[in-house]
Amino acid sequence: MSAAPLLEVTDLRVEFRTRGGVLPAVRGVSLRLEAGQTLGIVGESGSGKSVTMMAAMGLLPPSAHVTGSVRLAGRELLGLGAGELQAVRGARMAMIFQDPMSALNPVMTFGAQIVEAIRPHNRDLSARAALERAVELLATVSIPQPRDRVRQYPHEFSGGMRQRVMIAMAVANQPDLLIADEPTTALDVTVQAQILDMLTRLREELGIGLVLITHDLGVVAGCADAVAVMYAGRVVETAGTDDLFYRTRHPYTIGLLGAVPRVEGEFRPLVPVEGAPPTLSRLPAGCAFHPRCGWAIPRCQAEAPELRVVGAVHSACHRAEDLAPEAVP
């Protein structure tokens, strides 16, 4: 009997109850990640990427209604009590949040914050030993002079250095699953590359699974084993990274690829995806992408396509067979 995948999300649905009605933020998402691999989740803001993983972590507010299944190494996480979830978070799965300045406590030193992440899951560890572990972790994420830096505060670090501290806190207990939510946002290109290289190195050294959430397909190009593209709360295409880039069969993915800068081959202007994502409270009938799609047909306005195998990818598009690889910009 084969071992269960590290992370298996099945028909996940998240609705937020607001004064204006119910907002369907995640609509039947299914994902799978094996240990030691990286899954990239890509899409525009509001596509449901972060909400999907926040639901998996049990970090959504009480106004969220979550159904479906989230299994970590075969163990169901949805429905666990607060204490059981607390034991899993940080020890078995951890998250690197999008904005380190707001995620870090501005009045606590880095050492104190890392120790705070370590000791609840290692109660026999003394405060001194935990602080030594914090120094080791800062060195692991390539922060110079870690023994001195451990006594500094968030405002004394640059954005890239704060992000490294967030990574150190996330891997402090060597979790099986690491979720990185837009870890390179607001960082310059050089620092972005360093952070992505570091995440890849830690994944290889620790043997963990990595979920990389981003709006930029270029970010996942060199470090993800597989990619899931989300739009309006649904996965619209998923495939191995090479297959997604060269054999895509969904108009939205084609649009995202057209907006990725290229440094080789003939010069081509960037082509943005026309229009804007739909409002969750007023989703169009049929395929949610059809108002922005140049390949739409009447069926797209009446019937939402299911995710199905088309060539080398899984695509949720009625015209997937017609979208040959050469359609990619």
Side-chain angles (χ1 to χ4, degrees):
M1 185 176 179
S2 59
L6 175 61
L7 177 67
E8 188 171 26
V9 178
T10 306
D11 195 27
L12 183 69
R13 298 175 184 273
V14 180
E15 295 179 341
F16 290 97
R17 295 182 175 88
T18 69
R19 292 181 179 179
V22 176
L23 300 181
V26 177
R27 303 183 294 136
V29 166
S30 295
L31 300 168
R32 183 185 177 103
L33 173 67
E34 302 292 341
Q37 293 189 338
T38 298
L39 171 66
I41 304 180
V42 181
E44 294 169 288
S45 296
S47 61
K49 310 181 300 295
S50 297
V51 174
T52 296
M53 289 297 105
M54 293 283 277
M57 292 282 292
L59 294 175
L60 292 177
S63 60
H65 178 62
V66 183
T67 60
S69 173
V70 177
R71 291 182 176 272
L72 181 66
R75 182 187 183 187
E76 181 61 58
L77 299 183
L78 295 189
L80 290 183
E84 293 174 296
L85 267 177
Q86 189 65 31
V88 173
R89 287 196 297 256
R92 297 293 310 283
M93 60 193 304
M95 193 166 190
I96 303 166
F97 295 98
Q98 187 171 149
D99 180 9
M101 194 60 189
S102 60
L104 292 167
N105 190 324
V107 298
M108 291 177 65
T109 65
F110 289 125
Q113 294 187 62
I114 297 175
V115 167
E116 194 174 64
I118 294 173
R119 295 196 72 188
H121 302 286
N122 300 271
R123 297 191 180 279
D124 295 334
L125 201 65
S126 67
R128 182 183 294 274
L131 187 59
E132 282 299 313
R133 172 68 176 148
V135 173
E136 293 172 7
L137 286 164
L138 292 184
T140 298
V141 296
S142 304
I143 289 182
Q145 302 174 318
R147 197 165 295 280
D148 296 327
R149 300 285 193 172
V150 81
R151 292 190 289 269
Q152 291 187 285
Y153 293 85
H155 72 272
E156 298 180 89
F157 272 32
S158 66
M161 294 283 273
R162 287 194 292 266
Q163 193 63 283
R164 290 170 188 264
V165 174
M166 286 294 298
I167 295 171
M169 292 175 64
V171 302
N173 299 298
Q174 297 188 346
D176 301 315
L177 173 66
L178 181 61
I179 300 168
D181 187 4
E182 299 276 10
T184 59
T185 297
L187 302 179
D188 62 57
V189 175
T190 302
V191 178
Q192 282 186 24
Q194 293 172 354
I195 295 297
L196 292 173
D197 288 345
M198 179 184 305
L199 289 172
T200 300
R201 173 175 59 83
L202 290 171
R203 183 204 67 185
E204 294 171 350
E205 290 177 355
L206 301 176
I208 61 179
L210 175 63
V211 175
L212 181 59
I213 301 169
T214 179
H215 63 274
D216 185 356
L217 270 172
V219 167
V220 301
C223 60
D225 299 289
V227 181
V229 180
M230 290 189 66
Y231 185 80
R234 294 189 66 199
V235 173
V236 296
E237 190 164 34
T238 183
T241 304
D242 288 345
D243 287 330
L244 191 90
F245 272 76
Y246 298 106
R247 286 170 280 279
T248 176
R249 294 286 182 147
H250 198 283
Y252 181 57
T253 308
I254 291 173
L256 293 179
L257 288 170
V260 175
R262 303 185 182 188
V263 295
E264 56 186 23
E266 63 178 288
F267 170 78
R268 294 183 182 182
L270 298 181
V271 182
V273 181
E274 296 293 334
T279 302
L280 293 176
S281 60
R282 296 192 301 274
L283 289 171
C287 174
F289 186 63
H290 85 257
R292 308 172 68 187
C293 181
W295 284 279
I297 57 177
R299 183 184 178 189
C300 302
Q301 302 178 34
E303 180 185 341
E306 296 296 326
L307 200 65
R308 56 195 172 87
V309 178
V310 183
V313 308
H314 287 74
S315 176
C317 177
H318 293 309
R319 297 195 61 190
E321 286 82 2
D322 302 329
L323 301 179
E326 54 265 25
V328 180

